[in-house]
Amino acid sequence: THYRSPLDFSVERLDEADAALTRIENALKNIDWLASNATDGAPDVLDSVSLRALAADAHEDFMSAMDDDFNAPAALGAIFTLVGEVNTMVADKSLSVADAEAAVAARNTIAELLGVLGVDVDAAAAEASADYPLEVIALAEQLAGYGGSDAEEAVEALLEARARARAEKDWGTADGVRDGLAGLGFVIEDTPQGARVTYEG
């Protein structure tokens, strides 16, 4: 709502705002995931020039809106337009390194613009991974031979152990990792780029 307008407060509006923020967070997580699984030498599947132009346009539209008497609704509209465009461009794609660089640049533009509005999506993501249960470390020690003390690293070790077990057709170990993670509140999604895990608590 524009600062000159009355704020229409309701639980429904809060739910809408939560859904909108979740949509943005999921888009950024998806880009991070695709970029971390980018393949060197793979064919480019994105129009990197267009993607960079879209990010630049969104940045310009955002700044223009905020310069127009702090028109936050229009500024948010610029962010959501970019999120929608990026989602469409990367959907069901495996990225090359060049693609990943353009996608990450767009992702960083989204995070930067949200930061202007006081929404630190990167800090929220770091906080979410910091909330991983410590029991995952013991699970990784047991099933993946992990010897560290970092919960996020433990999850990665478990995913790697599961991928190895699946490649070797060791279904007992692979299922044990999946079930162990599920018991701790993690959900594994198998994608063409590999296993993707989310923590739902």
Side-chain angles (χ1 to χ4, degrees), residues 6-193:
L7 182 62
D8 180 17
F9 180 85
S10 68
V11 172
E12 291 76 17
R13 291 297 297 272
L14 282 177
D15 289 341
E16 290 170 11
D18 180 55
L21 180 58
T22 299
R23 179 173 173 240
I24 294 172
E25 289 172 338
N26 287 340
L28 300 188
K29 286 178 191 172
N30 188 45
I31 294 168
D32 290 341
W33 163 253
L34 291 171
S36 69
N37 288 279
T39 306
D40 197 13
D44 297 338
V45 294
L46 300 182
D47 183 345
S48 297
V49 173
S50 292
L51 183 52
R52 290 182 190 277
L54 287 168
D57 289 346
H59 192 279
E60 180 62 32
D61 291 346
F62 179 94
M63 299 304 285
S64 295
M66 292 300 281
D67 284 344
D68 180 22
D69 196 24
F70 296 105
N71 190 345
L76 276 171
I79 294 173
F80 279 111
T81 297
L82 180 57
V83 168
E85 295 282 0
V86 173
N87 275 342
T88 299
M89 290 184 81
V90 303
D92 301 319
K93 302 273 194 328
S94 294
L95 304 185
S96 68
V97 172
D99 288 335
E101 288 174 359
V104 168
R107 174 242 186 269
N108 290 341
T109 297
I110 294 166
E112 175 193 347
L113 298 181
L114 285 169
V116 172
L117 299 174
V119 179
D120 190 342
V121 287
D122 291 328
E127 186 177 311
S129 64
D131 288 339
Y132 285 179
L134 294 179
E135 292 87 349
V136 77
I137 296 171
L139 183 68
E141 182 181 359
Q142 175 190 349
L143 298 179
Y146 177 68
S149 59
D150 184 278
E152 193 169 356
E153 287 179 0
V155 171
E156 291 301 319
L158 285 163
L159 292 178
E160 289 170 11
R162 179 174 179 264
R164 279 194 308 273
R166 285 166 59 95
E168 297 166 2
K169 300 194 185 315
D170 178 0
W171 306 119
T173 298
D175 290 347
V177 170
R178 182 200 63 213
D179 295 343
L181 283 171
L184 294 175
F186 294 89
V187 176
I188 298 177
E189 175 191 359
D190 289 309
T191 75
Q193 296 82 23

